[in-house]
Amino acid sequence: MNRLLTMKRLSILFLSTFAVLMVGMFAYEKLVVAPGDRCEAGGKWWDPEGRTCAQPISIAEITGRPLPGQRAAASDAKNRELVAIEDSLTAQQKARDAEADRQRAALAAQ
């Protein structure tokens, strides 16, 4: 009696199925997983849905705002600018007051 599934045929079937699954696993690794790993290793962002490797952009580049490490220096510069404006306004006010006092004194002397 000839059997369809002999030990030799079963072993060939098993080995061929195993080989196909191994080739599929290595192909999946090479074509799906490896590009994402290479992208992230380069410091970029990987989008698996669109399979896109993108360069991250800093919000500071878009908005022109200072980076968090530079915020203290930018704040100090802005404060110095405001103090200079206040000083010039104070000097202008004193000059106006002095001129008004001079004109009052001139009118009182007449």
Side-chain angles (χ1 to χ4, degrees), residues 39-78:
C39 180
E40 289 175 355
K44 297 181 179 179
W45 291 337
W46 175 251
D47 176 27
E49 188 175 306
R51 299 189 46 81
T52 309
C53 185
Q55 176 70 33
I57 299 174
S58 173
I59 295 295
E61 294 176 20
I62 297 170
T63 61
R65 296 171 72 187
L67 293 174
Q70 300 171 342
R71 287 183 90 169
S75 178
D76 290 341
K78 191 58 119 172

Side-chain angles (χ1 to χ4, degrees), residues 6 30 104:
T6 62
K30 178 119 176 118
R104 278 192 200 105

